[in-house]
């Protein structure tokens, strides 16, 4: 064999090897471009910069009211797992929820289980350690609401809520962004309608309201909370606004001293529990039978729900019935559900939501003991 033939033979595997390297490099380059095209970066509501899928397909809703926001914006079919069982009306509108995977604890997320479900986006509370745990496993996590940026004025409250909705739209994609803008317009129109009437009501004519937001009759909220702004918006005085904590526990002595004119049961307890409790018999709201259970539709109206504007209208009618006689709440509920959930409620069904009565075939949610 000549030297020239030897070189020619040796060059063949070398050429093949070089060609393979080139192909592999091109593959990685294309993969890198594909990866870049399939992800995007967002800044969540607590200021974190997060790389998320361009089109999330398997979403975990671990932040309390996040499922109903995703549902509102047309992404219910993308929800794979959640942290709480959704209310009966949510299950009525989306039967998939009956078999949806529910994590036993959102405070200690099971990363292996989340990965096994193929989750590519998590909506979560602003809990640093848990976020780090999921992020370290390559699971994108966003916080859709900031508990550290409490609105100090009514205008801030209204603005921040719309910003939260728009953030969900940004995360979920172009179609969701359009729906988010439609929602914000709908929300604005109803909120302005309420505020136009209640803004001029003097303090002396505003009923004093105790708002129950927890799992028992002493769980309430404090200054600048959701309950604070909703009660003030509806034309009431929020009796617990002197408390510094967002979520607070009141004492029986405090409630007796406040002596509210109206009690709103917005949490997972019942108005009957208060009316039957002898400790409350001296409270003006109990004596005058002004104890009301907050409505519950796709979510609890008074707990960060997208139905929050309906809560404001409902409460305004309770506190100032003469001033809001022209507000047909049943029609407002029907209009909202048809427009955003694509479900044409009957008048009877709308009344069921307002009165916290589950749809036919569903049991009323069990309330814990007071």
């Amino acid at each position: 064999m000549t030297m020239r033939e030897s070189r020619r033979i040796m060059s063949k595997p070398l050429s093949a090897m070089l060609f393979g390297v080139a192909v592999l490099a091109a593959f990685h380059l294309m993969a890198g471009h594909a990866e870049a095209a399939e992800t995007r970066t967002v800044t969540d509501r607590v200021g974190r910069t997060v790389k998320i899928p361009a089109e999330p397909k398997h979403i975990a809703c671990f932040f309390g009211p996040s499922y109903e926001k995703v549902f509102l914006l047309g992404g219910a079919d993308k929800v794979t797992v959640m942290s709480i069982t959704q209310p009966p009306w949510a299950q009525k509108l989306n039967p998939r929820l009956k078999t949806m995977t529910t994590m036993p604890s959102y405070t200690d997320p099971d990363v292996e289980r989340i990965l096994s479900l193929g989750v590519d986006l998590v909506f979560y509370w602003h809990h640093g350690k848990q976020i780090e745990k999921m992020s370290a496993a390559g699971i994108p996590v966003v916080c859709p609401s900031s508990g550290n940026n409490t609105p100090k004025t009514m205008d801030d409250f209204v603005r921040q809520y719309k910003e939260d909705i728009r953030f969900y739209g940004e995360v979920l994609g172009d179609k969701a962004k359009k729906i988010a803008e439609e929602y914000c317009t709908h929300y604005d129109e109803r909120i302005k309608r309420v505020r136009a009437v209640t803004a001029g009501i003097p303090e002396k004519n505003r009923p004093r309201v105790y708002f129950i937001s927890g799992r028992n009759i002493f769980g309430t909220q404090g200054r600048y909370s959701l309950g604070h702004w909703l009660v003030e918006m509806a034309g009431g005085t929020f009796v617990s606004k002197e408390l510094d904590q967002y979520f607070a526990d009141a004492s029986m002595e405090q409630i007796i001293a406040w002596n509210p004119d109206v009690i709103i049961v917005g949490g997972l307890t019942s108005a009957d529990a208060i009316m039957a409790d002898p400790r409350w018999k001296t409270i003006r709201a109990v004596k005058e039978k002004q104890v009301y259970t907050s409505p519950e539709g796709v979510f609890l109206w008074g707990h960060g729900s997208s139905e929050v504007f309906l809560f404001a209208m409902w409460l305004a009618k309770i506190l100032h019935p003469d001033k809001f006689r022209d507000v047909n709440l049943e029609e407002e509920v029907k209009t909202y559900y048809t427009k955003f959930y694509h479900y044409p409620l009957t008048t009877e069904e709308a009344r069921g939501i307002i009165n916290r009565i589950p749809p036919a075939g569903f049991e009323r949610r069990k309330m814990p003991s007071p």
Side-chain angles (χ1 to χ4, degrees), residues 38-258:
E38 292 172 1
T39 62
R40 55 195 169 92
T41 301
V42 298
T43 302
D44 71 9
R45 298 291 286 144
V46 298
R48 298 169 56 253
T49 300
V50 186
K51 182 178 285 188
I52 65 171
E55 293 290 337
K57 293 181 173 59
H58 301 284
I59 298 172
C61 291
F62 294 156
F63 177 76
S66 57
Y67 164 75
E68 61 99 25
K69 302 294 192 307
V70 176
F71 185 20
L72 165 72
L73 300 180
D77 60 329
K78 299 178 180 180
V79 178
T80 300
V81 58
M82 57 185 59
S83 61
I84 57 175
T85 301
Q86 298 299 308
W89 280 103
Q91 296 181 42
K92 169 73 173 179
L93 271 61
N94 181 13
R96 284 185 63 238
L97 291 177
K98 295 179 183 178
T99 57
M100 181 75 65
T101 300
T102 303
M103 287 290 183
S105 172
Y106 74 84
T107 58
D108 185 20
D110 185 338
V111 170
E112 290 185 7
R113 183 89 184 279
I114 295 170
L115 289 171
S116 72
L117 293 169
V119 169
D120 57 9
L121 179 71
V122 176
F123 286 110
Y124 202 70
W125 303 86
H126 188 202
H127 294 169
K129 290 182 179 180
Q130 291 90 330
I131 290 175
E132 289 177 11
K133 182 178 179 180
M134 288 183 282
S135 298
I139 304 169
V141 182
V142 293
C143 301
S145 185
S146 173
N148 297 332
N149 191 18
T150 307
K152 301 299 190 297
T153 68
M154 184 79 72
D155 287 339
D156 281 346
F157 167 73
V158 172
R159 174 183 55 79
Q160 283 188 25
Y161 190 77
K162 289 186 291 183
E163 289 176 354
D164 286 352
I165 294 291
R166 288 181 173 124
F167 173 73
Y168 279 98
E170 178 187 0
V171 169
L172 295 174
D174 290 341
K175 180 181 177 181
K177 286 170 70 173
K178 181 180 178 181
I179 299 172
E181 288 305 320
E182 292 173 355
Y183 171 86
C184 287
T185 298
H186 190 92
Y187 167 91
D188 262 339
E189 290 171 351
R190 273 68 185 174
I191 293 297
K192 288 177 180 177
R193 184 177 178 185
V194 172
R195 293 183 70 186
V197 175
T198 61
I201 299 175
E203 188 69 23
K204 65 179 181 179
N205 294 336
R206 289 174 171 262
R208 294 169 53 77
V209 180
Y210 175 60
F211 178 70
I212 297 174
S213 63
R215 298 183 65 85
N216 62 64
I217 54 182
F218 299 115
T220 187
Q221 295 178 8
R223 185 182 298 112
Y224 304 143
S225 62
L226 174 65
H228 178 182
W229 294 123
L230 288 176
V231 168
E232 300 281 340
M233 181 185 293
T237 295
F238 193 62
V239 297
S240 57
K241 63 183 177 182
E242 64 191 57
L243 303 178
D244 288 332
Q245 306 97 321
Y246 190 101
F247 291 106
D249 289 323
S251 66
M252 195 71 243
E253 291 74 19
Q254 282 177 311
I255 297 168
I256 291 172
W258 288 330

Side-chain angles (χ1 to χ4, degrees), residues 307-366:
E307 296 163 273
V308 65
F309 66 90
L310 290 169
F311 180 92
M313 300 175 87
W314 168 79
L315 184 55
K317 285 180 68 70
I318 288 173
L319 301 182
H320 303 283
D322 293 341
K323 297 181 183 296
F324 289 94
R325 189 176 289 112
D326 64 328
V327 173
N328 187 327
L329 194 62
E330 292 169 0
E331 288 303 314
E332 287 288 346
V333 174
K334 289 166 67 177
T335 296
Y336 179 67
Y337 272 64
T338 298
K339 183 174 182 178
F340 291 100
Y341 298 132
H342 310 292
Y343 184 89
L345 291 169
T346 65
T347 299
E348 182 180 0
E349 287 176 323
R351 288 174 184 160
I353 289 171
I354 294 168
N355 293 300
R356 208 162 174 172
I357 299 171
F362 289 79
E363 294 183 1
R364 188 188 297 267
R365 289 214 276 179
K366 293 181 179 180

